[in-house]
Amino acid sequence: MSDKSSIKRVLYKVEQLVERGIDKRVRIAVTGLSGAGKTAFITSLMNQLLHIADNDQLPFLRAAKEGRILATKVSSYDELHIPEFKYKQSLDAIFDKKPTWPVSTTGISQAQLDIRYTIKNEWLKKLQKQSQLTVDIIDYPGEWLLDLPLLRLSFKDWSMQCHELLEQSELDSSWREQAVELIYQQPLQDDKIAQVSTEYKDFIRQNFSQQHTYNLLQPGRFILPGELAGAPVLDFFPVLDIDILNSDWSTLSSDSLIRILEKRFNYYKKQIIEPFFKEYFEKVDRQILLVDCLEVLNNGYQNYRNMQFTLSELLKSFHYGHSNWIKRMFSPSIDKLLIAATKADHVPPEQHRELELFLQKMLQGSRNDIQYEGIELETLAISAIKVTEAVMAEHQAQKLMCVKGVELSSGDEVINYPGKIAPHSLSKELWQEQQYDFVDFAIPGNLTSSILPHIRMDKVLQFLIGDKFR
Ligand code: GDP
């Protein structure tokens, strides 16, 4: 063999090693409770990257600023069982003659982007000028994350937990009254079980949307069933009668209502929750959790406390120290977590910092735990699609920074002063004095550029993928 060809072979080998050495793929999961802004976020994220060549709206994405990101395209992913994120439909809705917000997330979906970039590293550059980063984006409802604790509960434990929560809450208990009339030790026809469980789902859904009581949301698929809508695996409900809960279940026959409900609960855990978390923990590298703080501010103290509780529950998914059960059961690989307050375009720019501080206050305890686990954590106030502009206007005889946009409900242009966001936590009494007035804004019909206007999506991108463009 000639010297030339052996040098060529060595170089080829080195090139292969380099290729493998440079991170080629990053999987980003996007979540948040319903209405947090997941669909708008993914649409904007894809839009910013797909227009990378002529996008001058990304000064904080370093590789883009350095002109090293060359092109992005949508590619097909390997997880064929996961539906595709509807990017084109979302964009069509936004740029329609009569624009509308894209249809919100109801289940899991995925998109994949291939990004070509110029290599920066002096050594790697000698061997290869360009490389490709594959970014997978997975969208799933935050409600599903709330199912994680169920993995460690038996049907009896879960029922007891539901019983205690309902005892403490002031929720309308009409469902409960009819459920205690059932004879749990005897068989019950399937259609009757389906009917009672449908009513249970309606009951927790109503409480979720009207009273923002997130701790009754389990199982998550009862709120957002995704592809499981109507499937019998979701036909179960907790036993709430305390005498039955305290009784011995060991002698119950397998066709009794309790055993049927227990079987379905166990099936749900084994066949739905466990595979979801297995795929999730073992494949996701970076997570973004979106939080609608404006809804919290608009709805007062109790809503604030409920959201704080729910966030701490959601963030339990990221507490996995050495001896933690999550680590024993799965192999989590998340190394970065971004928690973002969405829809920051509702707030005048001078208050964005307060919005971020408000989010940080809500996260307080959980934040320390996560940092301790070694996951890099960042918080930001962002707007995926900015549909307002900041204007100085008169509000209650004062000149104040406000936001101007088209109000969603009336279709009229309005100037809104939403109130002053308190960056620190407020006592129950202080919350009562605080008045907030956030209105929903529509997408204006005059979006001229095909690149969506945003607030801090470049900082989001720098945090999530910036380190991969080496
Ligand atoms: P999802 O349920 O998490 O998928 O939430 P969506 O992305 O569908 O967002 C819910 C609603 O929040 C949208 O229909 C919009 O009204 C609003 N929204 C989301 N993102 C933004 C944003 O960046 N700016 C503004 N002004 N509104 C937003």
Side-chain angles (χ1 to χ4, degrees), residues 211-225:
Q211 304 195 24
H212 307 279
T213 310
Y214 306 107
N215 44 12
L216 273 179
L217 285 180
Q218 291 160 335
R221 299 255 187 336
F222 279 18
I223 305 293
L224 286 169

Side-chain angles (χ1 to χ4, degrees), residues 33-41 101-105 343 345-346 383-387 408 441:
L33 295 175
S34 289
K38 298 179 290 295
T39 310
F41 175 84
W101 286 96
V103 177
S104 301
T105 301
K343 314 178 193 181
D345 58 336
H346 285 71
S383 170
I385 307 174
K386 176 176 168 288
V387 296
L408 192 63
F441 289 104

Side-chain angles (χ1 to χ4, degrees), residues 258-314:
I258 288 190
R259 289 287 182 227
I260 294 171
L261 296 175
E262 183 179 47
K263 198 167 147 195
R264 292 188 186 173
F265 175 82
N266 288 336
Y267 184 92
Y268 178 77
K269 274 172 45 178
K270 195 88 205 129
Q271 304 299 332
I272 311 297
I273 313 182
E274 222 178 283
F276 170 72
F277 279 103
K278 191 165 169 50
E279 175 136 340
Y280 168 70
F281 278 124
E282 288 170 15
K283 286 193 173 165
V284 170
D285 305 303
R286 282 152 193 201
Q287 171 71 57
I288 171 155
L289 172 62
L290 304 176
V291 183
D292 182 354
C293 291
L294 315 183
E295 193 204 62
V296 179
L297 289 164
N298 255 356
N299 289 294
Y301 180 73
Q302 195 48 49
N303 188 248
Y304 168 74
R305 298 291 297 167
N306 289 342
M307 181 59 104
Q308 199 168 35
F309 173 83
T310 308
L311 287 176
S312 72
E313 287 297 298
L314 286 177

Side-chain angles (χ1 to χ4, degrees), residues 167-195:
E167 284 287 294
Q168 292 157 14
S169 74
E170 291 153 17
L171 303 177
D172 161 35
S173 58
S174 49
W175 179 83
R176 194 178 179 183
E177 276 153 28
Q178 66 146 314
V180 289
E181 292 191 352
L182 296 170
I183 305 169
Y184 287 86
Q185 295 85 346
Q186 287 177 15
L188 189 70
Q189 284 156 343
D190 271 354
D191 53 350
K192 180 70 183 159
I193 299 180
Q195 183 207 324

